[in-house]
Amino acid sequence: MKKLTIVILLISLVFAGTEFTLLPRETRYTTPFFNKYPDHNGKGVIIFVMDTGVEVSLPGLNKNPDGSVKVVDVYDASRSGDVKYVKAETREVNGTQNLTDGEEVFLSDYQEFNLQDKDVYIGALKEEDYLNGQAGDINGNGQKDDTWGFVAFKDDNNEWTVVMDTDRNGSLQGEEPIHKYSKNHKYIMLPRKNPLFQHQWMALSVNFYPEREVVNFHFDDGAHGTHVAGIAAGYHINGDPDVNGLAPAAKVVSIKIGNGAAPGSATVTGAKKRGLDFIENYMAKYKGHGIINLSYGIAASNEGYSETDKMFNGFARNNPNVTVCTSAGNEGPAISTIGTPAAGQFLISSGAVMDHETGRDKYGWDLDSPKILHFSSRGAETAKPDVISPGAMLSTVPQWAGGDFFWGTSMASPYTAGQIACVLSGLQLETKKTVSSALIQAGLRETSEKLDGYTLLDQGAGMINMLELYEWLQAEIEKPTPLNYNIATETFVPTLPKRKSNSIFWRIYDIDDIKDECEVEVKPVFADDLYQTELDEAFVKYHVDSDSRWADPAQRNISLLRDNSETLKIDLNPGGIDENSYKTARITLTPDNLYQEIAQEFWVTVVNPLHFTKNNDYSYEVEDESVSPGHARRYFLAVPHGASSLSIKIDTDEAEYSKIRPYLFDEDGLPAGRLHALSSDNEIFTTEKRFTDLKPGVMELVVYGDLSGERESEFGLEVSFCGIQFGTDEIKDLTFEGGNGPSFSGKVMPVLDTYKHVSLQSSIKGYLREHTLNFGEKDTLSIPFKKNKDDKTVQFKLHMPLIYHSNFTDLVILAENPEGKFVKTSILSAKGNTFTLPENLSPGPYTLKIMVAYADYVEKENFELPLEEIHLFAKEYSGQHGFEGGSIYQGLEYPYTIDLASAPPIIPSNTFYYGELNIMKRGESIATKALRFEE
């Protein structure tokens, strides 16, 4: 007994250490658990890190507290590390026998590896294949076109083996044979020119796939995965015993899904699905609990119903011994911004907070408690996030990375995963019972602590209280597990592309139009391998409850027999919701006491926006507003029919204090634009901007109190809409007469109001070429183009409808030069995208590439989208039209003719002149329309 006590004390000393706040392992939410259960440190739990790869050689990720290897296996689901090999030939070169591919790889001194009578294959790892990756010059010799030859064969034990010419001298003498990584956890480290940087630059772990004739080299060329792994499970990070991840004894399996040579380390088609298949097979052989950390996602267009959401929900349902943790998304601070797959109903999605002590010690901020970070995505049409966790911290990074302190919900998710790993390790140690991921999710909702000043949509259940979660699960695990994994909900949501989601959400112009009674389908969810006889016995009763009287369930109890669904009716009375506010009700469905309390919940959210009418001159003005650091003031703007522009002005009195960041989001919860930040410290007291290209719906303006603010910020707000309609003709006819500039005609009509001091201005900016993109057949769509010497720049416009955006795990647009080097990259969002090349780009040929990653590599939806290629002239060709008296009156049509001062250059055939028409009021555009012209 004494010996055991000493061991526990030693473990306590190892993991408690001092409070290192830049990786905030010890907080009021975690320390009580760690103090009471110091040996519940993640041991026995595997964390699968689905990311850019993990650098296996780093201090912090190279070993566990017991000295065993931390990263026990690797799998490159992206296949970006695949290197093809061919059958090796023998050829004499300068009197020496070489193995060769017959073209560029020649390797001598191979005899020590006993290759006689063996099938030997040869290939080469080429640095140029990673030209656009973040790791740069892999061996530090100032060049990026090096080649490392290798041979692959089965050794005398019938194990696949690779031997690489790591020093590039054409000889294999002294090189070490390397087997698949999981066999003995050895890896290849390429020597670097500068001896100071020989260590841990980029470890190459090896796997073999003879059926595809490839050797795969797994590595982290994005840094993101290594950082995530350290947060979840790092042990003695950077060799410091005081710096540990949340679960320092957990084992890690790296699942590489991101290609570091692609913009943003984007995923490729099927990478996530291949990764899940690998994990499913791995866990079928492993007795214990697994956790997936997926800090990878994109903005969602139909929360809960993207192909990725459905794929991960299906995995969770069929693998209850694997808990999937994922990042909520970095699309905040507006509501309705949860990403995919974070909206998956059976996944645990984490929003991000700045721990107040981390903020103090990293930036000198004076925060009184954790604050939700501005970018953290919020819920609405889906009951997410589940929880919030610290999302700004230090962790492990490869040696080539520029820094080790990252921000994002990407950091919050592994923090959550590490907390859950510690709780599970304790349960496995003490009870030996399996805990389903559904029970863990229910426990988080039941035991987490909410932060003051935030709503359900901001934080879900709040911060994880590890001790409360552990003790709740201890009690619940003794009860029988229901046959169904969980229950799913589905209801009508009018603003989503597919008109459905798992929570009720009304964000429309008039709350009086909301249904008095909303129906929610409740359906039991079972694993695919459940026997029919078991399914026939499935019967669970649920109690239904609401935390708000205005959203009242018509039934208090429902029962679910076998796989039959039940319709739950919710009576709504949103009349008491004030203008420019929203309310959220939490509806819970709790099983009877016979079974584990795997409760499910959905939310009911109703927004009552500000209305803009003739009575208020289509404007809104308010003074003496205030917002605290780390909090948000929200303004919901119902766009009046016919509105062409929105003007926003935010200011603060020079005598007041202000430090705020304004954000504008469109009717779909997608970013619509930014305004400059206000800072009285920097004497920035006003920010003002006009936004055009509006659509019907309810927009959201968020004024966020900057975390660095010393105290509450004061501000005033002015919002106004203008509304002018243009003619419906998309293509204008240019008329040339004599040697004068061309002219064109049309009509405009003010629809919201009468406008004074206005005029029309127009210009031809360049020319446009149309393309049609065919999605579904290829993962990379290529458009060759040329920047001409007379072009100011070239830009491309693509609109990705929301209904199609949900098919993908990533969408990237880029331009590359003939050498394959990227000259500009960007992520395609679920709305209009304008991709503009740098103006200083040299004239010449380039290729536009659109790289798409389908969630499923088998089932791909085929569809077409138009792409506009626009060449902008070095100068614009302008003209204007004045209205009599400078006024246009509401409801009247006004014809116009614009004469351009000079003729634009002749353009190529099969193209259009491209331009813009603007209604100007005192030098500012209040309505704009893109135009095409033809002669």
Side-chain angles (χ1 to χ4, degrees):
M1 181 62 70
K2 288 183 179 179
K3 183 177 180 181
L4 177 61
T5 303
I6 291 172
V7 170
I8 292 176
L9 286 173
L10 286 174
I11 292 174
S12 177
L13 289 171
V14 168
F15 296 125
T18 59
E19 290 189 9
F20 181 71
T21 60
L22 299 189
L23 199 169
R25 187 174 188 267
E26 289 88 21
T27 73
R28 65 175 293 263
Y29 305 99
T30 61
T31 301
F33 176 85
F34 292 140
N35 287 344
K36 189 172 183 178
Y37 302 105
D39 56 340
H40 296 357
N41 51 30
K43 187 173 183 178
V45 177
I46 291 182
I47 300 177
F48 297 90
V49 177
M50 298 186 74
D51 216 287
T52 62
V54 173
E55 179 53 63
V56 301
S57 66
L58 284 177
L61 292 175
N62 57 355
K63 64 179 180 179
N64 287 310
D66 61 4
S68 62
V69 169
K70 167 72 69 179
V71 183
V72 294
D73 206 349
V74 298
Y75 174 64
D76 182 7
S78 75
R79 298 183 175 178
S80 58
D82 279 2
V83 177
K84 280 281 188 181
Y85 57 67
V86 297
K87 190 74 176 289
E89 304 173 7
T90 303
R91 186 178 300 180
E92 184 175 311
V93 180
N94 297 325
T96 302
Q97 290 294 317
N98 281 255
L99 292 174
T100 179
D101 61 354
E103 296 181 2
E104 55 180 348
V105 183
F106 292 84
L107 299 172
S108 63
D109 303 314
Y110 55 85
Q111 290 78 6
E112 65 180 278
F113 301 107
N114 191 25
L115 301 181
Q116 300 90 340
D117 302 321
K118 289 185 173 68
D119 291 330
V120 181
Y121 303 92
I122 192 165
L125 180 72
K126 297 182 179 180
E127 198 171 30
E128 64 184 17
D129 291 339
Y130 310 99
L131 175 67
N132 297 297
Q134 298 181 41
D137 182 7
I138 296 175
N139 59 348
N141 66 351
Q143 300 177 355
K144 294 187 178 181
D145 58 354
D146 296 319
T147 297
W148 292 269
F150 65 83
V151 293
F153 55 91
K154 285 188 175 181
D155 65 9
D156 294 338
N157 295 318
N158 205 34
E159 295 279 355
W160 275 100
T161 307
V162 68
V163 182
M164 179 176 280
D165 178 17
T166 60
D167 55 11
R168 300 176 53 252
N169 66 355
S171 168
L172 295 180
Q173 186 174 10
E175 299 289 0
E176 182 180 8
I178 300 294
H179 298 97
K180 68 177 181 178
Y181 178 79
S182 63
K183 178 177 174 58
N184 53 21
H185 305 120
K186 290 186 177 181
Y187 49 81
I188 298 169
M189 189 69 70
L190 300 177
R192 291 181 59 78
K193 184 177 181 181
N194 185 344
L196 292 176
F197 298 102
Q198 291 283 6
H199 61 293
Q200 295 102 19
W201 188 261
M202 182 187 281
L204 304 177
S205 308
V206 178
N207 277 310
F208 300 88
Y209 301 97
E211 71 280 5
R212 294 192 287 118
E213 298 182 340
V214 301
V215 173
N216 180 270
F217 297 96
H218 169 281
F219 46 84
D220 181 8
D221 53 351
H224 192 270
T226 297
H227 195 275
V228 161
I231 295 170
Y235 172 65
H236 290 188
I237 292 172
N238 297 328
D240 191 325
D242 290 334
V243 186
N244 296 289
L246 273 294
K251 294 181 179 180
V252 170
V253 174
S254 175
I255 309 293
K256 182 180 174 70
I257 58 172
N259 179 2
S265 297
T267 55
V268 298
T269 291
K272 289 180 179 178
K273 187 175 189 303
R274 284 190 291 267
L276 289 179
D277 290 344
F278 177 91
I279 294 169
E280 189 168 50
N281 292 331
Y282 194 102
M283 289 302 296
K285 306 171 187 175
Y286 181 78
K287 294 183 178 180
H289 202 101
I291 298 173
I292 294 173
N293 185 82
L294 178 68
S295 291
Y296 244 77
I298 59 174
S301 53
N302 203 125
E303 285 90 331
Y305 288 85
S306 74
E307 293 303 312
T308 312
D309 292 339
K310 291 187 284 186
M311 180 170 66
F312 276 86
N313 268 337
F315 176 90
R317 170 169 49 86
N318 288 310
N319 298 273
N321 63 329
V322 182
T323 300
V324 183
C325 296
T326 187
S327 48
N330 298 332
E331 308 301 323
I335 68 169
S336 183
T337 51
I338 292 293
T340 179
Q345 204 163 5
F346 307 139
L347 279 61
I348 296 170
S349 63
S350 296
V353 304
M354 171 62 75
D355 180 78
H356 55 298
E357 293 184 342
T358 303
R360 177 198 65 203
D361 294 342
K362 179 66 175 178
Y363 301 107
W365 295 343
D366 184 18
L367 303 174
D368 58 1
S369 62
K371 302 295 181 184
I372 298 181
L373 289 160
H374 64 280
F375 54 75
S376 187
S377 291
R378 273 73 166 178
E381 57 267 83
T382 186
K384 301 287 177 175
D386 291 278
V387 292
I388 47 176
S389 291
M393 66 195 75
L394 169 151
S395 185
T396 43
V397 291
Q399 290 290 336
W400 49 263
D404 61 1
F405 195 95
F406 292 4
W407 291 47
T409 55
S410 286
M411 286 61 254
S413 181
Y415 194 101
T416 297
Q419 289 177 290
I420 294 173
C422 291
V423 169
L424 285 172
S425 71
L427 293 171
Q428 290 182 175
L429 180 67
E430 295 190 5
T431 70
K432 310 298 183 184
K433 291 187 177 182
T434 301
V435 186
S436 75
S437 56
L439 185 62
I440 293 168
Q441 187 179 40
L444 289 171
R445 290 170 175 164
E446 185 68 25
T447 62
S448 298
E449 293 186 31
K450 288 186 170 60
L451 295 180
D452 291 338
Y454 296 101
T455 70
L456 191 63
L457 303 190
D458 295 319
Q459 62 180 331
M463 302 286 288
I464 299 174
N465 185 315
M466 292 179 68
L467 184 59
E468 292 288 333
L469 174 63
Y470 179 71
E471 293 177 350
W472 187 89
L473 288 171
Q474 274 185 313
E476 288 298 321
I477 202 173
E478 297 302 322
K479 300 177 182 178
T481 303
L483 287 173
N484 61 309
Y485 167 77
N486 208 326
I487 54 176
T489 57
E490 182 173 288
T491 187
F492 170 75
V493 176
T495 51
L496 292 180
K498 295 184 179 180
R499 303 291 187 263
K500 60 183 179 180
S501 190
N502 53 51
S503 285
I504 297 171
F505 181 47
W506 287 93
R507 179 178 175 161
I508 60 175
Y509 189 86
D510 192 342
I511 63 170
D512 290 337
D513 294 334
I514 295 175
K515 293 181 178 180
D516 294 333
E517 185 180 80
C518 293
E519 294 184 348
V520 179
E521 182 185 14
V522 181
K523 186 176 180 63
V525 175
F526 299 92
D528 290 340
D529 60 359
L530 191 72
Y531 291 113
Q532 184 64 44
T533 53
E534 295 177 297
L535 180 61
D536 290 341
E537 297 175 358
F539 176 75
V540 184
K541 304 189 300 291
Y542 288 88
H543 177 69
V544 186
D545 193 25
S546 172
D547 66 356
S548 302
R549 291 184 177 180
W550 67 270
D552 189 30
Q555 304 109 297
R556 296 302 176 187
N557 296 279
I558 62 171
S559 60
L560 298 174
L561 176 64
R562 295 189 285 273
D563 58 352
N564 298 310
S565 61
E566 185 73 29
T567 299
L568 181 62
K569 297 180 179 181
I570 307 296
D571 295 328
L572 298 186
N573 181 23
I577 301 177
D578 295 335
E579 189 176 37
N580 191 40
S581 67
Y582 70 87
K583 283 187 177 181
T584 299
R586 179 173 178 247
I587 311 294
T588 55
L589 297 97
T590 307
D592 60 28
N593 291 328
L594 175 65
Y595 294 109
Q596 293 174 353
E597 194 174 316
I598 301 178
Q600 185 57 280
E601 69 179 49
F602 61 91
W603 301 345
V604 182
T605 301
V606 174
V607 175
N608 187 10
L610 288 166
H611 295 89
F612 297 83
T613 67
K614 186 74 171 177
N615 293 334
N616 59 19
D617 294 326
Y618 299 98
S619 64
Y620 172 79
E621 184 174 347
V622 63
E623 298 179 355
D624 300 325
E625 296 286 84
S626 62
V627 63
S628 300
H631 292 267
R633 290 299 301 268
R634 305 181 187 278
Y635 302 89
F636 297 98
L637 316 176
V639 179
H641 178 72
S644 57
S645 69
L646 162 64
S647 176
I648 297 173
K649 179 181 180 181
I650 304 173
D651 60 10
T652 187
D653 191 282
E654 294 186 13
E656 301 286 353
Y657 180 82
S658 190
K659 200 159 193 180
I660 57 178
R661 298 182 181 188
Y663 302 83
L664 183 66
F665 292 80
D666 70 10
E667 67 285 350
D668 296 310
L670 299 172
R674 288 282 302 273
L675 292 91
H676 292 298
L678 263 64
S679 173
S680 53
D681 292 342
N682 297 323
E683 298 185 352
I684 303 173
F685 300 105
T686 302
T687 182
E688 188 172 6
K689 191 171 182 179
R690 185 174 292 276
F691 301 88
T692 57
D693 193 24
L694 305 182
K695 295 179 181 178
V698 177
M699 304 181 76
E700 182 182 356
L701 171 67
V702 183
V703 179
Y704 179 84
D706 195 287
L707 284 175
S708 63
E710 298 174 2
R711 56 186 184 275
E712 197 171 58
S713 293
E714 310 289 339
F715 65 94
L717 171 66
E718 297 178 20
V719 177
S720 63
F721 286 93
C722 289
I724 299 175
Q725 289 184 351
F726 295 92
T728 57
D729 49 332
E730 292 291 331
I731 300 176
K732 296 288 185 183
D733 292 326
L734 283 180
T735 302
F736 290 84
E737 294 184 2
N740 299 324
S743 63
F744 65 93
S745 302
K747 295 178 181 179
V748 298
M749 183 176 70
V751 293
L752 292 188
D753 208 344
T754 293
Y755 300 100
K756 299 179 180 181
H757 311 291
V758 295
S759 63
L760 263 175
Q761 289 187 5
S762 184
S763 61
I764 291 181
K765 296 174 174 289
Y767 66 90
L768 177 150
R769 178 178 286 113
E770 294 179 318
H771 302 276
T772 299
L773 301 177
N774 295 295
F775 290 86
E777 297 179 2
K778 299 179 180 179
D779 296 343
T780 300
L781 307 178
S782 299
I783 303 289
F785 70 95
K786 183 178 181 181
K787 183 185 179 185
N788 303 309
K789 61 182 180 62
D790 295 329
D791 291 340
K792 178 181 180 181
T793 187
V794 182
Q795 63 181 205
F796 295 85
K797 291 187 176 184
L798 172 67
H799 176 69
M800 175 69 69
L802 299 178
I803 197 71
Y804 295 137
H805 191 265
S806 62
N807 290 318
F808 305 104
T809 61
D810 264 314
L811 299 98
V812 169
I813 185 168
L814 62 90
E816 67 177 21
N817 63 20
E819 290 73 42
K821 181 70 176 177
F822 299 163
V823 297
K824 174 75 182 286
T825 65
S826 185
I827 303 297
L828 283 171
S829 67
K831 59 182 300 181
N833 295 269
T834 299
F835 181 74
T836 305
L837 299 178
E839 291 186 14
N840 61 359
L841 194 65
S842 301
Y846 296 91
T847 302
L848 180 81
K849 290 188 175 181
I850 297 173
M851 302 168 62
V852 296
Y854 292 88
D856 193 325
Y857 48 79
V858 177
E859 297 181 8
K860 301 179 183 179
E861 183 177 359
N862 293 287
F863 59 93
E864 294 182 350
L865 291 179
L867 173 74
E868 296 179 345
E869 173 189 336
I870 300 168
H871 294 251
L872 298 179
F873 297 141
K875 76 167 204 173
E876 297 183 6
Y877 298 84
S878 303
Q880 60 182 6
H881 173 88
F883 298 104
E884 185 175 350
S887 299
I888 51 177
Y889 294 90
Q890 182 182 5
L892 300 180
E893 269 192 345
Y894 289 83
Y896 66 84
T897 298
I898 290 184
D899 299 311
L900 301 182
S902 58
I906 297 174
I907 59 177
S909 58
N910 299 318
T911 63
F912 299 91
Y913 284 111
Y914 168 80
E916 198 172 76
L917 184 64
N918 288 281
I919 303 286
M920 307 297 294
K921 181 177 181 180
R922 291 177 172 166
E924 181 185 25
S925 175
I926 61 172
T928 186
K929 179 180 177 66
L931 295 176
R932 302 183 189 185
F933 305 89
E934 62 183 10
E935 298 183 27

